[in-house]
Amino acid sequence: MASQLSESLSGTSQPPVFLTGAAGHVGANLVRRLLDDGARVRVLLRNDDNNEAVDGLDVERVYGDVRDLDATRQAVAGCHGVFHVAALVSTIDGTDAHRRDVYESNVIGTRNVLQAARDADAGKVVVTGSFSAVGYDLDDTSAPTQESMPFYPMERTMPYERSKAMVETECWHAAAGGQEVVVATSCAVVGGNDFFPSRMGRTLCDFANRKLHAYVDGGFEFVAAADIVQGHLLCMERGRSGQKYIFSSKYQTISDMLDHFQAVSGVKRPRRQIPLGLMLPFSEIASYSLSRLWPSYPQRFTPGAIRLLQQCRHADTSKAKEELGFQPTTIRAAVEDAYAFHYERNAISNPRARRPEATVPAEG
């Protein structure tokens, strides 16, 4: 992005930008964009994490945990401009230990990053938010959601959703005290540099490898990795302190996403559709058992994920477009990027799957 932000962040004489969560999907794309724009970047990594996402990158690495305030203070010192992307993302209810981990990683971690940025006089902080923590029309969940709608806590919600709503509270407290803080609200991310991989990345690989034999429909807002990265940069450059902005590329049903997967991979989509009403009780039992017996086993259709799909929530991105100049790209291009990334990493083992350069272009 040729902008004032790019100019202000580039050059060896400028202090480094500070970034948490560089090992994750959004962070891995954001750090590459910052480097492409000529910025110096310092990333906070955890020793025990998979940090493959920053291998070979010209970044300054510091090691610590955002739950440790002293370590976070040391990491931020000397930086200007903070992107707090790190979060423990989860769609399971989990055990007491899991819920505490979500709370401490997301809520206490955000509080510490904000405090450390204030202590270091590090300038504006952009915090990654979640669309699941934004409110909606209680009488029509599919009505477009705006940033001003408060989170509704009076129904069953996932620990992750509640934690991200509390993250925003931490941000507004800091902003009320005079700190420059903006929340970049992300929807479900699709795109490359997905090293862990994400839920959508795993689903795409399973689809291409013919391991996805049925699906449940419903819908959600999806955002291209390039678009949520652009959103973070726009928030840093133009975002008003104490405000949040929703970034989405397009609302898609799961059936829409399977059409994209089929087009880019050449693998036929499954025909069997399981009604959400039938899948929900099964997922309740399965998620409860897996969380306690095999907690590391990846769960795709959890009760929380099914509830979000049932709501078919849409996003109103007019605030980001009008105030920041946000211009979304297409979900098809994001799926193509994701497919090419996983194919090059040999995660697509099906010999009948199409090579990335042979994908079929389309709108959407």
Side-chain angles (χ1 to χ4, degrees):
M1 173 170 84
S3 66
Q4 295 175 356
L5 175 65
S6 301
E7 294 173 3
S8 66
L9 295 180
S10 62
T12 56
S13 63
Q14 296 295 332
V17 179
F18 184 73
L19 172 67
T20 71
H25 196 186
V26 175
N29 283 278
L30 178 55
V31 69
R32 284 163 173 76
R33 176 58 185 273
L34 289 167
L35 292 172
D36 287 345
D37 284 351
R40 295 174 58 203
V41 183
R42 180 186 298 169
V43 297
L44 177 62
L45 306 171
R46 297 202 306 180
N47 277 305
D48 296 336
D49 281 353
N50 173 8
N51 295 314
E52 181 185 3
V54 297
D55 285 352
L57 298 185
D58 184 17
V59 295
E60 181 183 349
R61 296 164 175 80
V62 292
Y63 292 87
D65 194 311
V66 293
R67 292 173 292 187
D68 182 336
L69 177 57
D70 288 337
T72 307
R73 281 190 175 117
Q74 294 175 26
V76 176
C79 292
H80 189 78
V82 174
F83 292 99
H84 178 42
V85 184
L88 177 53
V89 181
S90 171
T91 64
I92 66 172
D93 199 44
T95 61
D96 288 342
H98 172 77
R99 290 189 287 272
R100 178 169 178 173
D101 200 17
V102 170
Y103 169 77
E104 291 181 345
S105 297
N106 297 350
V107 183
I108 302 303
T110 298
R111 175 180 292 183
N112 288 344
V113 169
L114 292 169
Q115 179 66 57
R118 288 196 299 273
D119 293 345
D121 195 20
K124 183 184 283 188
V125 181
V126 175
V127 176
T128 307
S130 171
F131 186 59
S132 64
V134 182
Y136 53 87
D137 187 328
L138 300 178
D139 298 315
D140 180 7
T141 58
S142 66
T145 287
Q146 297 178 331
E147 290 87 348
S148 59
M149 293 180 175
F151 177 73
Y152 183 64
M154 303 303 180
E155 65 177 359
R156 180 181 176 183
T157 54
M158 295 179 289
Y160 173 72
E161 293 173 277
R162 297 194 295 273
S163 78
K164 294 301 280 188
M166 295 175 73
V167 161
E168 291 191 8
T169 300
E170 295 294 331
C171 293
W172 309 149
H173 283 168
Q179 187 171 11
E180 276 199 288
V181 185
V182 183
V183 172
T185 301
S186 177
C187 298
V189 183
V190 184
N193 297 312
D194 187 8
F195 290 87
F196 271 96
S198 65
R199 290 167 56 81
M200 285 307 300
R202 290 197 306 270
T203 301
L204 174 56
C205 291
D206 287 347
F207 179 97
N209 290 326
R210 301 190 65 85
K211 294 180 179 179
L212 193 66
H213 306 297
Y215 69 98
V216 296
D217 216 349
F220 198 67
E221 290 282 346
F222 291 85
V223 63
D227 289 347
I228 188 58
V229 164
Q230 182 81 337
H232 279 70
L233 297 179
L234 289 169
C235 283
M236 180 64 78
E237 179 182 0
R238 306 173 190 170
R240 290 184 291 134
S241 183
Q243 298 291 315
K244 64 180 174 183
Y245 300 87
I246 297 172
F247 297 100
S248 173
S249 302
K250 192 174 184 181
Y251 173 87
Q252 300 279 260
T253 65
I254 296 302
S255 185
D256 293 333
M257 294 303 293
L258 294 182
D259 285 343
H260 293 311
F261 291 176
Q262 177 173 292
V264 301
S265 69
V267 176
K268 290 188 178 296
R269 53 177 288 171
R271 295 181 179 180
R272 185 184 177 192
Q273 178 181 340
I274 302 174
L276 284 168
L278 291 180
M279 188 66 183
L280 184 57
F282 171 79
S283 71
E284 294 276 12
I285 297 171
S287 184
Y288 180 88
S289 302
L290 288 171
S291 295
R292 285 152 181 81
L293 300 176
W294 296 282
S296 62
Y297 186 85
Q299 301 180 37
R300 180 179 290 117
F301 291 114
T302 64
I306 290 174
R307 180 180 60 81
L308 289 177
L309 290 175
Q310 284 178 319
Q311 290 179 330
C312 297
R313 293 184 56 192
H314 289 64
D316 181 347
T317 57
S318 58
K319 181 179 178 180
K321 291 175 179 176
E322 293 168 6
E323 290 193 18
L324 307 181
F326 174 58
Q327 296 179 342
T329 57
T330 68
I331 291 298
R332 174 60 63 81
V335 173
E336 289 175 354
D337 288 343
Y339 182 73
F341 174 80
H342 293 299
Y343 192 97
E344 290 167 5
R345 286 169 58 82
N346 297 316
I348 310 298
S349 58
N350 178 8
R352 295 180 179 272
R354 183 182 287 131
R355 291 184 60 83
E357 60 266 26
T359 56
V360 179
E363 297 295 327

